[in-house]
Amino acid sequence: MKFSIMPPTLKAIYRNGTFILETACNLPEGSEVELLIQSSSVVSPPISDVESKQRFLKSLISRMQQNPIPLNAPHFTREMLHEGC
């Protein structure tokens, strides 16, 4: 069986229960892989209860409306946002 040389890592995005590759991959169909999740942010589990989700979204919208971004707020460039990363 001939295998092509694979990059050391493959990048993917998890969306709707599926990992969508952002890097080309030539693995044979049915190949077993091991995933290492690397994330700097903590993601809460989805809210499955419809009423709880509605309460959460109403609360979120209310907080956003109570704390609008001031019109005179400074505008940040991409470089400024990524300083120190």
Side-chain angles (χ1 to χ4, degrees), residues 34-54:
E34 187 172 312
L35 300 173
L36 171 64
I37 308 300
Q38 293 182 326
S39 177
S40 60
S41 62
V42 175
V43 179
S44 299
I47 302 171
S48 57
D49 176 53
V50 175
E51 290 179 17
S52 295
K53 185 179 277 189
Q54 288 175 340

Side-chain angles (χ1 to χ4, degrees), residues 63-81:
R63 284 182 288 167
M64 290 172 67
Q65 290 172 336
Q66 291 171 12
N67 298 291
I69 297 173
L71 294 176
N72 62 347
H75 294 272
F76 295 104
T77 64
R78 185 182 194 316
E79 290 75 26
M80 292 167 70
L81 292 171

Side-chain angles (χ1 to χ4, degrees), residues 3-11 21-27:
F3 292 96
S4 61
I5 297 174
M6 296 293 297
T9 59
L10 298 173
K11 290 192 176 194
L21 287 173
E22 294 185 323
T23 308
C25 171
N26 294 322
L27 289 173

